[in-house]
Amino acid sequence: MRIFDVTKTLNNGVKIPVLGLGVFKSGQNTKRAVEYAINIGYRHIDTAAVYGNEDQVGEAVKSAGINRKDIFITTKLWNDDMRNGTQRQAIEKSLELLKTDYIDLYLIHWPVKGKIAESWAVMEEYYTKGVLRAIGVSNFLESHLDELLSYASIIPAVNQVECSPFLTQEPLTEYCVKKGIAVEAWSPLAKGVALTNEVILEIAKKYNKTAAQIIIRWHIQNDRIVIPKSVHEERILSNSLVDDFELTIEDMNRISALNENRRMGSDPNNFNF
Ligand code: NDP
């Protein structure tokens, strides 16, 4: 089976392709990158309102000429809309920019203190209406999930968190798995920094694969959804060529042992945006 056709079934039965294309900081290249990705077989795109490129994602999906139901689109509720109480407007705006009448997966982007309950209630309402096929969270630690689960009617389908060989997120993953929440890895390549790690390069040589392919395969074999970003066609293509080999348990463990709980992005308990 091609990697593009491999899906994970979320806790509400919705299927998400395990490999997606991330478009954070893809800028004006977003439309071209997404069109190319769809043309070679990607069926999952990860964007967010704050990335400012939902319109380009929507255009690319239209111009790629595939059925809307054959592509999985994730977008996210931005912090300002949580603080300002404009969650409904935010969802409507994303739908308009994406040129679609539904979103496959809608996430709370960051755990904005004191605003999670109200935001989740609006998301549950849109989920119930069928506008959001699945709802989830991003950058939630156990404490944030504990809070949300204490009042949620709908359990989040996904927690999208920073995860890479330098930040393997084992305790949080164990918690999520126990609660039926799928783990999705953002900055899966540690923003490219992990690509020059010696252990990764040594393993890459052994399998005759690129460092990125080794890391992406490691995420997938760890049962994570993974959304590497690139605006370069050769990388978008090569990042998807991960279905013709399998890492041994020893090599999986060697990569996991690179963990140093090192974040490239912000701490979910202490972010300033
Ligand atoms: P990644 O770990 O995906 O790394 C992206 C970087 O690696 C880019 O500089 C890219 O460069 C480079 N790269 C990609 N593939 C290769 C390759 N094969 N060889 C060499 N370099 C490569 O980091 P991101 O931070 O972009 O994370 C991925 C996605 O996760 C985002 O795009 C976004 O969708 C999501 N995300 C979500 C967050 C959240 O808070 N929920 C936060 C951050 C990201 P180039 O493009 O020039 O090829």
Side-chain angles (χ1 to χ4, degrees), residues 198-266:
E198 270 177 31
V199 172
I200 302 284
L201 287 171
E202 194 188 307
I203 296 173
K205 198 168 169 198
K206 171 175 161 190
Y207 290 83
N208 199 18
K209 286 283 170 183
T210 68
Q213 288 164 340
I214 295 295
I215 298 172
I216 293 164
R217 182 79 207 181
W218 169 77
H219 283 291
I220 292 172
Q221 282 185 222
N222 269 322
D223 204 26
R224 285 190 285 269
I225 303 152
V226 59
I227 47 172
K229 171 263 178 186
S230 180
V231 293
H232 293 100
E233 294 187 354
E234 68 280 9
R235 293 175 178 176
I236 296 172
L237 174 62
S238 70
N239 288 352
S240 73
L241 302 177
V242 293
D243 49 12
D244 58 352
F245 72 108
E246 191 172 340
L247 295 166
T248 62
I249 293 175
E250 292 74 29
D251 289 327
M252 289 290 292
N253 290 341
R254 281 185 80 195
I255 300 171
S256 301
L258 297 173
N259 181 44
E260 36 190 57
N261 295 326
R262 170 172 161 208
R263 293 184 186 280
M264 302 289 148
S266 292

Side-chain angles (χ1 to χ4, degrees), residues 20-26 29 45-48 51 74 76 78 107-110 137-139 160-164 184-195 210-213 216 219 226-236 238-239 264-266 273:
L21 179 75
V23 296
F24 179 39
K25 296 196 172 156
S26 296
N29 294 314
I45 309 296
D46 184 88
T47 184
Y51 301 169
T74 299
K76 312 181 192 93
W78 186 237
L107 305 177
I108 289 185
H109 206 148
W110 286 86
V137 296
S138 179
N139 300 302
Q160 183 184 112
V161 295
E162 182 176 354
C163 183
S164 77
E184 185 170 357
W186 67 253
S187 291
L189 310 174
K191 296 196 182 290
V193 177
L195 301 176
T210 68
Q213 288 164 340
I216 293 164
H219 283 291
V226 59
I227 47 172
K229 171 263 178 186
S230 180
V231 293
H232 293 100
E233 294 187 354
E234 68 280 9
R235 293 175 178 176
I236 296 172
S238 70
N239 288 352
M264 302 289 148
S266 292
F273 41 78

Side-chain angles (χ1 to χ4, degrees), residues 100-120:
T100 181
D101 49 12
Y102 69 88
I103 290 161
D104 295 283
L105 176 62
Y106 195 71
L107 305 177
I108 289 185
H109 206 148
W110 286 86
V112 177
K113 251 203 173 92
K115 299 293 174 186
I116 297 171
E118 172 189 328
S119 303
W120 193 251

Side-chain angles (χ1 to χ4, degrees), residues 53-119:
N53 56 14
E54 289 171 304
D55 55 338
Q56 291 186 63
V57 172
E59 282 164 26
V61 170
K62 287 265 180 228
S63 71
I66 53 160
N67 284 333
R68 171 67 185 89
K69 69 170 177 42
D70 293 330
I71 186 107
F72 192 103
I73 303 176
T74 299
T75 193
K76 312 181 192 93
L77 176 64
W78 186 237
N79 304 351
D80 292 344
D81 287 306
M82 294 176 73
R83 293 188 185 106
N84 297 335
T86 48
Q87 294 90 344
R88 284 186 179 74
Q89 291 90 324
I91 295 171
E92 299 293 342
K93 187 75 190 169
S94 287
L95 289 165
E96 182 193 324
L97 290 171
L98 289 165
K99 291 168 264 300
T100 181
D101 49 12
Y102 69 88
I103 290 161
D104 295 283
L105 176 62
Y106 195 71
L107 305 177
I108 289 185
H109 206 148
W110 286 86
V112 177
K113 251 203 173 92
K115 299 293 174 186
I116 297 171
E118 172 189 328
S119 303

Side-chain angles (χ1 to χ4, degrees), residues 28-39:
Q28 287 314 309
N29 294 314
T30 304
K31 181 167 184 259
R32 199 185 35 73
V34 173
E35 272 171 354
Y36 175 75
I38 294 174
N39 278 331

